[in-house]
Amino acid sequence: MFKECSLNDLSKMDISETEIKNDKLHEECGVFGIYSPSGGEVSKDVYYGLIALQHRGQEACGIAVSDTSGEKGNLKLKKDMGLVSEVFHKEDFSNLKGNIGVGHVRYSTTGGSVVENAQPIAMNYIKGSLALVHNGNIVNANELKEKQMYRGLAHYTTTDSEVLAYEIIGDRVNSGSIEEAIKKSASKLKGGFAVVVMSPRKLVGIRDPFGIKPLVLGVKNNFVDGKGEQGSLFDNEKFDKHNTYILASESSAIRAVGGKVIRDIKPGEIISITSKGITSDYDLCQEKKAHCIFEYIYFARNDSVMDGIAIHTAREMAGRALARKSKVDADIVVGVPESGIPAAMGYSKEANIPYVQAFYKNSYIGRSFIKPTDEERRDAVHMKLSVLEDEVKDKNIVIIDDSIVRGTTMKQLIIMLKQAGAKAVHVRISSPPFLYPCYYGTDVPTSKQLIASKHSNEDVRKNIGADSLEYLSIEDFKYMVGDLQICKACFNNDYPV
Ligand code: AMP
């Protein structure tokens, strides 16, 4: 279904009640925001930024843009189900004109797979228009939503992001500035969130006080077209209104649009980009941090740098630690594309066993993980990955993946490797056994479906058909992220919020 919405249309959408009731407040997404104070069109950069963030959400996407020199509330929005390249077409950019914009890619549990839940969440209110994009999960959203409902507010989506938008609007009506309103609203939230808000004249970003979800600030030189100037402007990080400023979930998205990373937004920091400069408010910052370890294990792109840690290196270090802890006498090391590959390379280097590409990945197939039934997930693994038989025949293999959740992927890959003639398949996982659900926005099934939480290591080994199975230990995270304070609740049940 295709729906291009004007703001007024949003309230008229035909939303199936059952879909909404079955849906959970559950998000796992990528956000992008961009502002070019001196003018120019930003929607193409939002598009390319979202393409770079596609791995963070493949279910729905959207772009909202506005013109800061125009009427307050001249916001244009398009959002729909599907990949960024499916939803947006050339002709859309002539409608999405503006020098400030936000974009979103969404990945939720199956129940929430409805277009109404796509973002940006856009609203018109007394002070103009507002568009908001959000990655994370607000644990107390239901509580806030109930209060809003008693105040007579109608909700058109089942997302916690809409709850947050209403909070901000409510606080803005009584506050001096949008930054104050965002700060006030954020102080009521529990959970993990990285949010970018586009208001009529400002782009504002905020990260939860624990830094669970990532957010990075970048700059793009408007003259970066290979015609000089680039060096001098890029070396000068002072605010220049002729530059374009970007907020994104990952550094790879900033680089994808020809920008340069300035720095990570600090946990609890509110950053505001206006035509006069960039201001920062640290009032919500606190000492304790809890960066999501799963970003480093699986979620982020291999080429991103997050809170000072290069993702590829962190994964390679995990692989090296795994090799030191549980080396196998094998002929080859293979990795499960994509996030298992750096760990496999690390394992190979540390154990001095050759790394071999064992799988061909069909990049045109979406995620197998998101499929609703076991059977569909199993079929999706076969569609996505096929074995390079010559490489694995008669070999003793160590296979590395970043995680085992339900066990579907590894079980199917072992069947495929053995069918291709592998003699033995030893499984090494570059994270600890996954035991507890995540409440902050990483899509993890209930503990019941987490294979390691219900079965012993030996039972899991038998179930997936491995010749041996070992995991990284929680202590080994230090090799991945040094002394960065992390949330590892999915492994040790210790939730920061
Ligand atoms: P499973 O097949 O259920 O054991 O899931 C493990 C596979 O899914 C691994 O290859 C991971 O790279 C990937 N994976 C792990 N966690 C997630 C997640 N939260 N969302 C999507 N994919 C995931």
Side-chain angles (χ1 to χ4, degrees):
M1 171 178 55
F2 172 81
K3 269 185 182 140
E4 189 172 352
C5 340
S6 78
L7 282 179
N8 294 337
D9 290 342
L10 269 179
S11 56
K12 294 186 211 139
M13 276 183 172
D14 175 23
I15 306 170
S16 145
E17 259 200 31
T18 20
E19 275 175 319
I20 297 286
K21 278 185 195 143
N22 291 342
D23 189 14
K24 293 192 243 148
L25 294 177
H26 204 141
E27 301 294 316
E28 187 173 271
C29 309
V31 298
F32 191 89
I34 186 163
Y35 181 24
S36 175
S38 58
E41 300 296 331
V42 294
S43 56
K44 276 203 185 128
D45 276 347
V46 184
Y47 173 83
Y48 289 123
L50 293 184
I51 296 260
L53 294 173
Q54 188 77 81
H55 61 288
R56 298 183 73 87
Q58 300 167 7
E59 189 179 274
C61 61
I63 296 177
V65 293
S66 179
D67 186 346
T68 54
S69 65
E71 288 281 301
K72 286 188 180 185
N74 63 357
L75 185 147
K76 286 143 229 137
L77 168 74
K78 181 176 179 182
K79 55 183 178 177
D80 203 352
M81 304 301 291
L83 299 174
V84 181
S85 59
E86 291 165 353
V87 170
F88 291 96
H89 308 288
K90 234 194 198 157
E91 57 276 14
D92 290 321
F93 298 106
S94 48
N95 299 326
L96 291 167
K97 284 195 176 301
N99 65 328
I100 186 166
V102 286
H104 191 262
V105 286
R106 178 165 194 261
Y107 172 44
S108 78
T109 48
T110 332
S113 214
V114 290
V115 68
E116 292 74 23
N117 285 349
Q119 296 191 32
I121 302 282
M123 292 180 175
N124 270 327
Y125 71 118
I126 193 74
K127 304 256 168 130
S129 62
L130 171 144
L132 174 149
V133 287
H134 166 219
N135 168 218
N137 197 36
I138 298 164
V139 184
N140 61 335
N142 279 331
E143 226 171 274
L144 295 167
K145 184 172 180 174
E146 200 175 297
K147 286 186 193 153
Q148 293 176 352
M149 285 174 124
Y150 277 112
R151 292 207 305 270
L153 293 172
H155 292 75
Y156 302 105
T157 81
T158 54
T159 65
D160 47 359
S161 316
E162 186 184 33
V163 177
L164 174 57
Y166 271 134
E167 283 301 314
I168 294 173
I169 284 176
D171 288 328
R172 170 75 175 111
V173 173
N174 306 309
S175 308
S177 67
I178 185 76
E179 294 90 336
E180 284 301 316
I182 292 173
K183 184 159 81 179
K184 195 162 172 210
S185 299
S187 66
K188 297 177 229 166
L189 307 180
K190 293 187 183 127
F193 52 90
V195 176
V196 183
V197 177
M198 176 176 86
S199 82
R201 310 261 184 269
K202 292 172 182 172
L203 189 72
V204 185
I206 177 160
R207 204 172 167 194
D208 69 80
F210 290 98
I212 297 174
K213 292 289 154 193
L215 193 63
V216 196
L217 172 70
V219 61
K220 180 180 167 179
N221 174 344
N222 278 347
F223 312 112
V224 62
D225 54 4
K227 293 192 187 123
E229 302 241 30
Q230 186 173 348
S232 56
L233 275 174
F234 265 41
D235 292 337
N236 176 5
E237 279 172 16
K238 276 202 295 219
F239 180 80
D240 181 338
K241 72 172 181 183
H242 300 292
N243 285 339
T244 298
Y245 291 90
I246 303 163
L247 289 163
S249 294
E250 292 188 34
S251 60
S252 51
I254 292 173
R255 286 203 310 273
V257 300
K260 162 191 138 149
V261 172
I262 298 177
R263 65 169 173 85
D264 294 280
I265 304 307
K266 295 196 173 66
E269 180 183 359
I270 303 170
I271 191 142
S272 172
I273 306 165
T274 73
S275 61
K276 303 216 165 51
I278 300 181
T279 55
S280 182
D281 182 326
Y282 296 100
D283 282 1
L284 298 178
C285 293
Q286 54 182 35
E287 218 168 285
K288 192 178 168 203
K289 315 278 186 290
H291 301 283
C292 169
I293 188 64
F294 217 64
E295 290 281 352
Y296 299 91
I297 293 170
Y298 166 77
F299 215 38
R301 241 168 75 155
N302 278 334
D303 61 338
S304 281
V305 178
M306 202 171 268
D307 289 302
I309 311 278
I311 300 293
H312 183 275
T313 311
R315 290 176 183 164
E316 185 169 329
M317 290 302 154
R320 281 183 178 272
L322 204 48
R324 287 194 293 275
K325 191 182 150 208
S326 50
K327 194 177 164 192
V328 191
D329 197 11
D331 304 315
I332 55 170
V333 179
V334 307
V336 180
E338 295 296 327
S339 39
I341 287 175
M345 286 176 161
Y347 191 104
S348 149
K349 286 180 198 162
E350 189 78 25
N352 215 6
I353 302 172
Y355 170 81
V356 163
Q357 185 193 339
F359 300 103
Y360 169 77
K361 183 183 164 197
N362 185 338
S363 318
Y364 304 98
I365 310 281
R367 281 223 185 123
S368 43
F369 189 87
I370 198 171
K371 300 279 190 277
T373 68
D374 276 348
E375 206 181 7
E376 283 175 285
R377 276 193 289 272
R378 195 191 59 203
D379 292 348
V381 176
H382 288 264
M383 274 194 297
K384 193 157 81 180
L385 295 171
S386 63
V387 173
L388 304 176
E389 284 192 19
D390 281 359
E391 299 287 3
V392 303
K393 196 163 183 279
D394 298 325
K395 299 279 183 2
N396 285 311
I397 299 172
V398 190
I399 182 170
I400 317 278
D401 199 1
D402 57 83
S403 56
I404 287 184
V405 182
R406 299 179 182 90
T408 322
T409 307
M410 195 48 89
K411 188 173 183 167
Q412 296 313 313
L413 294 183
I414 293 173
I415 292 171
M416 285 153 69
L417 287 169
K418 293 222 164 151
Q419 278 171 350
K423 268 205 274 187
V425 182
H426 299 275
V427 175
R428 297 294 179 266
I429 301 296
S430 57
S431 64
F434 212 127
L435 301 175
Y436 307 99
C438 174
Y439 302 107
Y440 310 132
T442 298
D443 180 27
V444 173
T446 58
S447 330
K448 248 205 294 190
Q449 293 166 290
L450 293 169
I451 190 169
S453 95
K454 290 279 162 260
H455 302 280
S456 68
N457 202 29
E458 179 55 12
D459 284 347
V460 177
R461 181 194 70 74
K462 281 192 199 141
N463 182 293
I464 61 175
D467 290 274
S468 73
L469 166 66
E470 300 282 345
Y471 296 85
L472 195 76
S473 68
I474 289 183
E475 293 69 47
D476 290 334
F477 282 146
K478 62 177 180 284
Y479 299 114
M480 296 180 77
V481 294
D483 53 11
L484 193 74
Q485 292 179 49
I486 49 174
C487 171
K488 38 188 185 297
C490 49
F491 302 113
N492 70 356
N493 203 22
D494 183 9
Y495 294 92
V497 186

